[in-house]
Amino acid sequence: MLGLRDLGPERLESILDRAESLLPVVRDGVALPNPVRPAMVGLLFLENSTRTRCSFEVAANRLGHRSVVLTGLGSSLDKGESLIDTAANLAAMGLDALVIRSAIAGGADLVARNIGIPVVNAGDGRHEHPTQALLDASTLRARLGSLAGKRILIVGDILNSRVARSNIHALTAMGATVVLVGPPPLLPWTFAEFGSGVDVTHDLDGVLDTADAVMMLRIQLERDAGRAVASDYRFAFGLTVNRLARLGPEVPILHPGPMNRGVEIDDSVSADIARSAILEQVARGVAVRMAIIEAALELPAG
Ligand code: NCD
């Protein structure tokens, strides 16, 4: 699972269906009916992470597997060892699959082509974050039913967001229109890779009334995006209480986290019990990652 670019609607729906059936394991601790042979899942996390890393670990554990974690800090990457050498050494320890997050766009793909075990992309630079988009799609499907014909707003730093890119692939494949909203410096200048189903605007207030769902994104300060943003960002692009009031009672609010409260989202918006789907996303993330680990381990090694 390296990206969602080439995944058709049937494959996407089948992953989401499997995740849905695993949700009781996550929510209620229901035991899996058929315990599997325990596997060893490696987690190589070379960028900061709270949700994604713990979610993969919980998912592996819930499936009855074990995990081993290596983060950048304290690893031999600091001594100049390459990403491929690092991953190859982990694979040589007999891991059954490797989950990788790195700042390099294409990093997971590079590793997958150089080691003989299944690789799952947990975020590669500005490129893709497939399991995040799958958990977003799972949450949207649960709230909205079929995504066909739905308008999903993605608001914020689109240019630097792997979450936005993976979501565009997944949501348009499932029949939704994705409306990308942000200041000009934070929107990509070409959309050729996405095909149809993508609208672009700089005017959040102009499209708010048309939204079936709203996904807010953080400004990727670690990728230098902060330089492109004015200090009054919140007034143009923040999901404020006033903007929330313009959304229907059924319109879910999503955010992949980490949130910067008071910048892209107000406190009382994320706390809106009916509309905020933010913690539901997190719960569904474990189920989605269980489905992805399960599928990865079905692949023959080598
Ligand atoms: C996202 C990421 O790391 O790409 N977070 C996540 O995985 N939940 C989004 C972000 O960092 O803004």
Side-chain angles (χ1 to χ4, degrees), residues 48 51-52 101 129 132 162-163 218 220 222-223 256-258:
N48 293 346
R51 278 151 292 272
T52 308
R101 164 171 288 195
H129 193 349
Q132 177 68 43
R162 53 198 178 198
V163 176
R218 179 179 68 91
Q220 303 273 304
E222 72 276 36
R223 302 189 212 287

Side-chain angles (χ1 to χ4, degrees), residues 47-53 101 122-125 128-129 131-132 135 160-163 216-220 222-223 255-259 264 289:
E47 277 193 326
N48 293 346
S49 175
T50 296
R51 278 151 292 272
T52 308
R53 181 184 139 184
R101 164 171 288 195
D124 61 326
E128 279 229 40
H129 193 349
T131 59
Q132 177 68 43
L135 76 86
N160 295 295
S161 174
R162 53 198 178 198
V163 176
M216 302 307 296
L217 297 177
R218 179 179 68 91
I219 295 163
Q220 303 273 304
E222 72 276 36
R223 302 189 212 287
H255 194 308
M259 287 188 279
E264 75 273 11
R289 287 169 180 132

Side-chain angles (χ1 to χ4, degrees), residues 32-287:
L32 276 174
N34 303 310
V36 289
R37 180 188 71 81
M40 190 62 82
V41 179
L43 305 179
L44 177 55
F45 271 69
L46 305 177
E47 277 193 326
N48 293 346
S49 175
T50 296
R51 278 151 292 272
T52 308
R53 181 184 139 184
C54 292
S55 173
F56 269 109
E57 271 196 87
V58 173
N61 281 301
R62 286 285 193 202
L63 288 166
H65 303 312
R66 303 232 173 101
S67 55
V68 57
V69 182
L70 180 66
T71 58
L73 201 66
S75 77
S76 289
L77 282 139
D78 276 352
K79 301 181 189 170
E81 190 164 25
S82 75
L83 181 62
I84 294 175
D85 283 342
T86 304
N89 276 268
L90 291 174
M93 294 172 200
L95 296 183
D96 299 288
L98 184 65
V99 178
I100 171 167
R101 164 171 288 195
S102 90
I104 303 166
D109 196 74
L110 189 70
V111 167
R113 280 188 275 114
N114 284 279
I115 65 171
I117 58 172
V119 171
V120 178
N121 183 6
D124 61 326
R126 296 179 173 86
H127 181 228
E128 279 229 40
H129 193 349
T131 59
Q132 177 68 43
L134 287 166
L135 76 86
D136 295 333
S138 167
T139 307
L140 288 166
R141 207 178 64 155
R143 294 278 179 126
L144 303 177
S146 163
L147 299 189
K150 299 283 169 20
R151 277 173 75 80
I152 318 289
L153 269 51
I154 305 184
V155 186
D157 180 4
I158 313 292
L159 182 68
N160 295 295
S161 174
R162 53 198 178 198
V163 176
R165 177 178 269 99
S166 289
N167 263 296
I168 296 168
H169 291 314
L171 301 179
T172 57
M174 293 169 75
T177 297
V178 174
V179 186
L180 303 175
V181 191
L186 297 182
L187 282 168
W189 38 87
T190 170
F191 294 87
E193 69 174 297
F194 297 124
S196 61
V198 180
D199 286 350
V200 183
T201 178
H202 308 309
D203 179 10
L204 176 59
D205 290 314
V207 289
L208 210 52
D209 298 335
T210 69
D212 291 299
V214 181
M215 182 185 300
M216 302 307 296
L217 297 177
R218 179 179 68 91
I219 295 163
Q220 303 273 304
L221 297 174
E222 72 276 36
R223 302 189 212 287
D224 280 347
R227 287 186 204 163
V229 170
S231 57
D232 57 357
Y233 178 87
R234 173 176 170 272
F235 295 99
F237 298 104
L239 194 50
T240 58
V241 177
N242 286 347
R243 291 198 172 103
L244 184 74
R246 289 180 47 204
L247 295 171
E250 308 288 310
V251 175
I253 312 295
L254 287 80
H255 194 308
M259 287 188 279
N260 285 153
R261 292 169 183 271
V263 182
E264 75 273 11
I265 191 163
D266 280 8
D267 266 350
S268 47
V269 176
S270 60
D272 186 287
I273 291 175
R275 281 176 287 195
S276 171
I278 296 169
L279 291 179
E280 183 180 344
Q281 288 173 268
V282 177
R284 287 178 172 274
V286 178

